[in-house]
Amino acid sequence: MEYNFGEIEKKWQNYWKQNETYKTDIDKNKPKYYVLDMFPYPSGAGLHVGHPLGYIASDIFSRYKRLKGFNVLHPMGYDAYGLPAEQYAIQTGQHPAVTTKINIARYREQLEKIGFCYDWDREIRTCEPDYYHWTQWAFIQMFNHYFDIKLQKALPVSSLVKAFETTGTEGIQAYCTEEFSFTAEEWNSKTEKDQQETLLNYRIAYLADLKVNWCPALGTVLANDEVSEGLSVRGGHPVEQRVMRQWSLRVSAYAQRLLDGLDKIDWTESLKETQKNWIGRSEGAEMKFKVKGQGEVLEVFTTRADTIYGVTFMVLAPESELVKVCTTTEQAANVETYLAATKKRTERERIADRRVTGVFSGSYAINPVSGTEIPVYISDYVLAGYGTGAIMAVPAHDSRDYAFAKYFNLPIIPLIEGCDVSEESFDAKEGIMINSGFLNGMTVKEAITAAKKYVAEQGIGRVKVNFRLRDAIFSRQRYWGEPFPVYYKEGMPYMLDEIKLPLELPEVDKFLPTEKGEPPLGRAKGWEVDGFPLELNTMPGFAGSSAYYLRYMDPKNDKALVSPEANQYWRNVDLYIGGTEHATGHLIYSRFWNKFLFDLGVVCEEEPFKKLINQGMIQGRSNFVYRIKDTNTFVSLNLKDKYETTQLHVDVNIVSNDILDIEKFKNWLPDYASAEFILEDGKYHCGWAVEKMSKSMYNVVNPDDIVEKYGADTLRLYEMFLGPLEQSKPWDTNGIDGVHRFLKKLWGLFFKDGNLLLTDEQPNADELKTLHKTIKKITFDIENFSYNTSVSAFMICVNELFTLKCSKKAILEPLTILLAPFAPHIAEELYHVLGNEGTVCDAQFPICNEAYLVESSVKYPISFNGKVRFMLELPADMSKEEVERTALANEQTIKQLDGNSPKKIIVVPGKIVNIVL
RNA sequence: GCCCGGAUGGUGGAAUGGUAGACACGAAGGACUUAAAAUCCUUUGGCUUCACGGCUGUGCGGGUUCAAGUCCCGCUUCGGGUACCA
């Protein structure tokens, strides 16, 4: 009987499906374990061989945990809303729901072939009404809550309203866009509309006029993490700044908790570091500078209060409201010109062009500590969105201020003893203060503390913590997303009654903006409730992915996002595997979302993902052919330098071990049908390079083809064998034969020439040692996600058993179970061949018995000055002294010593002997 | 610029401070076969030697140590993230 993987895999995949082997329910008699993959966006291209890498890793761990007696939740679903389907719809008229459905079906088919242990009954799709029902529900809760600064948690807006009605803003510590101050009387006399407008200032989901990233090509705004270097992450289109009235989530209110939570979770340091930087906490002081001859005050934020004596000018962001106030009539024209020029520049241009620009406002501010008068400038190197949108410039100790001062010829006052600021600023926070009044003689650190204290005591300002993390813009001017459960009355937003959820996405005639420039939902007929118009924006991509891990716990619940029972059993994700590209987007948003739900008491764990592993990227390995210029002749790699050639990508699927299949090449593209070749030893050798896996490089490998040719078990093993899970590595199908041979060899331990070789004989010491050594190694490797070395360990084990000609049940049965997480199909087949009933998934993971591993003797490497010269086999229990004596007495040692006496002898029992000459 | 990762044969990679290159791929040679496929055996870091062996070797330069791919310091270089964040 041959190893017929095709038949075996089909057979057991059917069996698992029929027997609901992977169906999961709450079982309070077993400890739970929740393994989650970052769910995919189902693109039209289908899966390539890089996508399943993380899924295979998590699948192995899930199966392992199950064999260890855990009740494992391992679900899969689809992040089904998104731009590509909508772009495609705009081009073709095909409804995005239709393409999405087709793509999902294709993904499902591809995933099923690989033999994952997903509980498909729990599958979710973010674009399904019974799923986005709860996305809309969460949004309503966010609208109805505000963040209390003192308690550091979300509270109902209704209690805030009660406070306003009785005591106004007195004593209120609510996280808000703008500090308001009003009495109860003032509140009560406001109109409904005014009250609603005021409340938006506090709500966690709020509507506000914001400077947003507008992407004209996509016709929508984008969140900060969806923009990179001034271009949209999806599509690479230019992005510009624009002020628009948009929904936002007050993520920044949770900044401190998002930061603190990082200490409690098992993520890689680099990922935590990325989040820390994105949150960007900085401690400093907010200080007030009076504008000369006016009542106005400029507020600035600084982390270097100690440099107050070195402030030689102020700078306002062009968008700052204070620009108007500070601009004098004489300077008005210049300022106007500058503002116009700045506005025209896109984010990208500003990043690319680092030239100093700016304009004098005409006003002067007064240094609150030294009393000196300093000019106020306007420049776009100051950002409106961070701090107060205004800075005190200390050119001696800040490189940006320095460049500005040099350009405008402003004074530069050094504040640190011995620093040279003639060529560049001294940015380091070290040294002794000079030119700084009462701070003179202090170290920088002391001065920062002293200055902050002084500022607070003198009423010049206050100590403040600032965060870089900004609120998440939540509106998209697109069709293919969750509709907001929002309608408008007198221009004010109101939430739909929860009973009316889900608010389903309406049909439209075209997926384009309306003639008036409204989003596509403006085309929907009857898009209103009780005569009030519904919101025309839809939610962004991260809306649906922010709480999907909760929905898997209870995916069919139509009363709640998740029942308390399910949530308290499954709690949170124990192991989350996915790409590092979500470090600042999804992984911040879902932590925020989860914390909010935690505050509401809907979920019982504050952090959603306990342990997180980033799988590395699978890169492509491209192949090249070399065409001689102006001909249709192709020259083999090592001869190409004799000609003038053009390097062309060739489909890696018609190349094997870098040798081109010439017939397939001729049939590949019409141009090549008449191609001629200059070969080396009768073969065409291709060049190669590691590049991104993409269609245009012709280096995409489809897992279906691999499964077809080698089987799913081989694919699974080979993906793991490629290298460490977390590292990036190129996919090269060439090596796959090795793991396939391994499976055949394993099969060969069971069958030879169609006969079953299995025996009930008692295993001997060597066989037991091989088995238990492997059990130990595999257990350790799985726990440490070192799957590449486990595959090697399996190979070594089978090679040894092959040499021992071992076909004993007592050895092969535990080995089969050990292999089941990695290669479930062949393991299931062999488990039944061994005479078992049921499924290998419910077996018990073997336990290593150290007694079989004890060695009676040790081969000591005998080294001289650290260089190994020969081996000496000695009894394992020989004492240190005895080993030393025996080694020294050895004739090879005597030869090495050559009459000299050793200076020192190191004996590490069981390891090594080193003789120092 | 700043913050993270890496760098080991022709290739992917392995190595609690203790024999560098496990395990694979590829290559070369051989067995079986009419032939091919499949399978099996041998060799395979470099230099050197008929051989035993010797020398050398983990990006570069220092250091710690009886012993360094591994620890420390200083570079080079390649990836990834982030960027006027005051």
Side-chain angles (χ1 to χ4, degrees):
Chain A
M1 210 165 114
E2 284 282 293
Y3 168 43
N4 187 339
F5 52 83
E7 209 170 278
I8 290 170
E9 291 178 0
K10 207 166 9 158
K11 171 171 147 195
W12 293 110
Q13 283 172 13
N14 283 335
Y15 174 93
W16 295 329
K17 199 183 262 178
Q18 273 161 27
N19 290 276
E20 299 188 318
T21 304
Y22 302 126
K23 194 169 163 55
T24 316
D25 283 308
I26 291 174
D27 179 354
K28 290 187 177 154
N29 297 315
K30 279 187 186 172
K32 71 97 186 185
Y33 201 88
Y34 186 176
V35 181
L36 184 64
D37 293 301
M38 287 187 186
F39 66 166
Y41 173 79
S43 82
L47 292 173
H48 67 61
V49 103
H51 293 115
L53 183 79
Y55 306 157
I56 294 168
S58 65
D59 199 64
I60 290 169
F61 206 77
S62 303
R63 290 172 179 275
Y64 166 72
K65 277 288 175 183
R66 178 162 172 182
L67 291 169
K68 280 282 195 186
F70 287 82
N71 187 25
V72 177
L73 178 59
H74 188 214
M76 182 47 99
Y78 307 95
D79 188 14
Y81 274 133
L83 288 176
E86 186 167 354
Q87 292 295 83
Y88 186 75
I90 291 168
Q91 286 162 24
T92 63
Q94 176 91 285
H95 198 289
V98 175
T99 29
T100 302
K101 210 170 178 175
I102 293 168
N103 293 348
I104 285 176
R106 169 113 180 84
Y107 265 58
R108 174 72 182 267
E109 194 191 337
Q110 287 188 294
L111 289 170
E112 287 200 333
K113 277 188 194 166
I114 304 174
F116 293 120
C117 62
Y118 296 126
D119 177 0
W120 284 112
D121 286 352
R122 290 175 185 263
E123 181 198 281
I124 54 166
R125 302 175 182 197
T126 55
C127 66
E128 291 293 330
D130 55 356
Y131 179 85
Y132 66 68
H133 180 153
W134 303 105
T135 311
Q136 293 172 336
W137 170 83
F139 179 81
I140 294 177
Q141 309 314 310
M142 288 181 194
F143 182 83
N144 287 329
H145 285 78
Y146 76 100
F147 190 82
D148 188 282
I149 293 167
K150 207 157 60 193
L151 299 174
Q152 279 288 304
K153 69 177 284 196
L155 293 177
V157 167
S158 56
S159 65
L160 189 65
V161 171
K162 233 169 246 160
F164 287 163
E165 283 167 353
T166 51
T167 51
T169 50
E170 183 70 39
I172 295 287
Q173 286 200 55
Y175 200 95
C176 54
T177 311
E178 211 182 317
E179 287 293 343
F180 286 149
S181 172
F182 49 78
T183 62
E185 290 72 43
E186 284 169 325
W187 169 262
N188 291 325
S189 63
K190 279 179 194 268
T191 62
E192 157 80 9
K193 192 180 166 181
D194 277 353
Q195 285 184 345
Q196 287 302 321
E197 181 70 48
T198 306
L199 288 175
L200 285 175
N201 188 50
Y202 300 96
R203 298 181 189 277
I204 287 175
Y206 65 98
L207 197 56
D209 292 315
L210 297 166
K211 203 178 150 194
V212 298
N213 306 304
W214 172 255
C215 179
L218 294 172
T220 187
V221 305
L222 297 168
N224 288 329
D225 67 279
E226 291 169 324
V227 180
S228 176
E229 304 201 348
L231 297 176
S232 66
V233 172
R234 278 257 160 96
H237 307 291
V239 169
E240 57 189 52
Q241 304 297 302
R242 208 189 246 201
V243 174
M244 287 174 78
R245 195 161 170 85
Q246 300 285 290
W247 284 106
S248 284
L249 302 184
R250 220 175 281 284
V251 180
S252 59
Y254 281 82
Q256 188 63 51
R257 278 172 63 186
L258 287 168
L259 191 63
D260 294 342
L262 291 174
D263 295 334
K264 295 172 206 141
I265 48 185
D266 183 9
W267 293 13
T268 58
E269 278 313 307
S270 72
L271 184 54
K272 286 191 195 180
E273 199 59 34
T274 306
Q275 290 222 335
K276 272 182 200 161
N277 292 340
W278 192 259
I279 295 166
R281 184 182 199 273
S282 60
E283 280 180 40
E286 217 164 66
M287 270 191 255
K288 290 177 187 142
F289 285 64
K290 284 200 181 96
V291 181
K292 188 189 166 194
Q294 288 199 34
E296 282 296 334
V297 164
L298 297 182
E299 257 193 310
V300 300
F301 174 73
T302 179
T303 53
R304 294 292 302 273
D306 59 307
T307 59
I308 183 76
Y309 284 92
V311 179
T312 55
F313 58 101
M314 311 279 291
V315 186
L316 302 177
E319 298 85 355
S320 169
E321 287 160 17
L322 291 161
V323 167
K324 247 183 252 160
V325 178
C326 291
T327 304
T328 58
T329 29
E330 303 86 74
Q331 284 296 101
N334 288 340
V335 170
E336 198 55 45
T337 315
Y338 182 70
L339 293 186
T342 313
K343 215 177 231 166
K344 262 209 311 228
R345 300 214 297 170
T346 64
E347 180 100 335
R348 188 164 171 75
E349 284 166 345
R350 276 176 56 168
I351 290 165
D353 179 13
R354 291 252 174 167
R355 273 178 308 173
V356 175
T357 64
V359 64
F360 179 46
S361 69
S363 292
Y364 290 84
I366 296 160
N367 186 320
V369 180
S370 68
T372 39
E373 284 178 19
I374 46 179
V376 178
Y377 280 77
I378 299 155
S379 172
D380 68 0
Y381 85 89
V382 173
L383 304 178
Y386 183 78
T388 59
I391 61 152
M392 59 178 223
V394 185
H397 302 288
D398 181 287
S399 49
R400 296 154 301 178
D401 297 345
Y402 187 88
F404 195 86
K406 280 274 171 182
Y407 186 81
F408 285 97
N409 248 323
L410 294 158
I412 297 166
I413 308 170
L415 301 173
I416 290 167
E417 211 173 76
C419 72
D420 174 17
V421 294
S422 57
E423 291 300 323
E424 56 180 0
S425 62
F426 181 84
D427 291 14
K429 290 186 189 176
E430 52 198 40
I432 305 293
M433 305 297 298
I434 53 166
N435 299 333
S436 292
F438 72 99
L439 299 170
N440 283 340
M442 294 184 193
T443 64
V444 169
K445 265 191 188 150
E446 290 162 355
I448 292 176
T449 317
K452 279 205 281 196
K453 197 170 154 220
Y454 180 85
V455 162
E457 282 169 1
Q458 300 293 309
I460 299 162
R462 58 185 176 133
V463 173
K464 194 166 178 212
V465 175
N466 238 322
F467 292 94
R468 195 187 87 111
L469 183 72
R470 289 186 233 171
D471 289 347
I473 295 163
F474 204 61
S475 300
R476 295 293 179 274
Q477 293 68 43
R478 303 286 296 196
Y479 174 72
W480 192 231
E482 298 86 349
F484 281 87
V486 173
Y487 64 92
Y488 288 88
K489 201 155 71 178
E490 288 187 71
M492 278 298 127
Y494 290 85
M495 292 298 115
L496 231 54
D497 200 317
E498 283 180 28
I499 289 172
K500 294 199 171 148
L501 297 184
L503 173 65
E504 293 199 22
L505 187 65
E507 291 303 322
V508 290
D509 58 345
K510 266 192 251 169
F511 306 103
L512 290 169
T514 64
E515 282 68 34
K516 285 187 278 177
E518 291 167 337
L521 290 193
R523 298 173 174 276
K525 293 204 177 70
W527 190 237
E528 50 176 54
V529 279
D530 308 327
F532 297 111
L534 285 160
E535 169 73 54
L536 298 183
N537 289 299
T538 54
M539 296 187 195
F542 65 83
S545 57
S546 288
Y548 76 111
Y549 53 91
L550 292 169
R551 191 62 181 163
Y552 281 135
M553 296 175 182
D554 196 7
K556 304 220 161 65
N557 193 333
D558 59 0
K559 302 282 182 297
L561 166 63
V562 54
S563 71
E565 194 205 4
N567 182 251
Q568 271 158 35
Y569 181 75
W570 296 112
R571 308 195 71 83
N572 56 5
V573 175
D574 294 281
L575 174 67
Y576 197 20
I577 296 188
T580 176
E581 67 272 21
H582 297 107
T584 52
H586 164 62
L587 289 174
I588 290 266
Y589 296 129
S590 50
R591 288 182 64 220
F592 153 76
W593 203 285
N594 191 80
K595 281 178 195 298
F596 171 72
L597 294 177
F598 176 80
D599 288 352
L600 267 58
V602 173
V603 302
C604 60
E605 291 282 354
E606 193 173 350
E607 285 293 338
F609 315 120
K610 249 196 272 189
K611 181 177 175 69
L612 185 141
I613 290 181
N614 290 124
Q615 89 270 21
M617 273 218 316
I618 294 276
Q619 297 150 308
R621 186 183 187 277
S622 311
N623 276 118
F624 302 111
V625 290
Y626 304 91
R627 184 172 62 195
I628 300 174
K629 263 209 163 148
D630 305 320
T631 68
N632 205 14
T633 302
F634 294 81
V635 57
S636 185
L637 176 68
N638 299 302
L639 303 172
K640 75 173 165 65
D641 293 343
K642 295 182 186 162
Y643 305 87
E644 201 181 335
T645 58
T646 316
Q647 176 176 282
L648 299 166
H649 278 93
V650 59
D651 188 347
V652 294
N653 296 295
I654 61 170
V655 176
S656 172
N657 284 322
D658 295 336
I659 305 294
L660 181 69
D661 185 322
I662 289 172
E663 281 316 303
K664 283 186 187 163
F665 180 72
K666 285 182 169 177
N667 292 329
W668 180 42
L669 296 174
D671 283 1
Y672 300 150
S674 61
E676 292 180 36
F677 302 89
I678 299 174
L679 307 175
E680 327 169 37
D681 36 276
K683 291 172 184 164
Y684 189 97
H685 294 257
C686 297
W688 63 274
V690 173
E691 298 177 298
K692 213 178 118 117
M693 197 175 276
S694 90
K695 251 186 182 166
S696 60
M697 314 262 194
Y698 298 110
N699 60 9
V700 176
V701 180
N702 188 323
D704 298 354
D705 297 340
I706 303 288
V707 169
E708 179 69 27
K709 198 166 167 201
Y710 297 97
D713 286 336
T714 298
L715 172 72
R716 292 169 61 109
L717 285 172
Y718 187 57
E719 293 237 0
M720 295 300 103
F721 188 63
L722 275 179
L725 181 60
E726 299 182 66
Q727 235 170 273
S728 288
K729 57 239 159 188
W731 176 272
D732 181 0
T733 309
N734 288 335
I736 201 166
D737 290 311
V739 292
H740 192 62
R741 271 177 212 145
F742 153 72
L743 288 179
K744 282 204 233 173
K745 209 162 179 178
L746 171 71
W747 190 263
L749 293 175
F750 286 75
F751 297 98
K752 195 180 180 187
D753 304 326
N755 299 316
L756 189 62
L757 300 175
L758 283 183
T759 71
D760 288 319
E761 273 176 80
Q762 286 302 306
N764 62 35
D766 283 343
E767 293 162 345
L768 285 167
K769 197 170 124 190
T770 291
L771 173 68
H772 284 265
K773 185 177 76 181
T774 308
I775 295 174
K776 188 175 178 177
K777 176 77 176 146
I778 300 298
T779 310
F780 179 84
D781 283 351
I782 295 180
E783 300 271 3
N784 291 284
F785 304 95
S786 176
Y787 298 142
N788 54 327
T789 52
S790 353
V791 179
S792 307
F794 279 123
M795 289 172 169
I796 293 167
C797 177
V798 168
N799 287 346
E800 284 179 6
L801 293 179
F802 191 81
T803 311
L804 293 165
K805 301 211 181 321
C806 171
S807 292
K808 297 172 184 170
K809 267 191 187 173
I811 299 294
L812 296 184
E813 182 158 335
L815 177 62
T816 300
I817 299 167
L818 211 54
L819 184 69
F822 295 83
H825 308 87
I826 192 172
E828 190 76 277
E829 175 74 15
L830 294 176
Y831 187 70
H832 285 80
V833 166
L834 284 156
N836 294 292
E837 301 285 317
T839 168
V840 71
C841 300
D842 289 328
Q844 272 199 352
F845 201 78
I847 290 167
C848 168
N849 184 343
E850 294 276 350
Y852 296 126
L853 303 182
V854 177
E855 299 271 1
S856 59
S857 67
V858 180
K859 273 189 182 155
Y860 278 94
I862 312 297
S863 58
F864 295 82
N865 289 338
K867 287 185 181 183
V868 176
R869 284 291 113 111
F870 63 94
M871 305 298 288
L872 193 58
E873 185 157 359
L874 297 171
D877 56 0
M878 195 181 238
S879 74
K880 208 171 157 177
E881 292 73 24
E882 191 73 12
V883 169
E884 181 174 330
R885 221 173 305 138
T886 319
L888 280 177
N890 189 282
E891 59 178 273
Q892 291 188 78
T893 306
I894 293 161
K895 199 175 130 200
Q896 286 290 337
L897 286 173
D898 196 24
N900 299 309
S901 55
K903 280 201 194 104
K904 198 171 175 184
I905 297 143
I906 314 279
V907 177
V908 185
K911 281 277 177 214
I912 200 167
V913 177
N914 191 16
I915 298 165
V916 186
L917 296 173

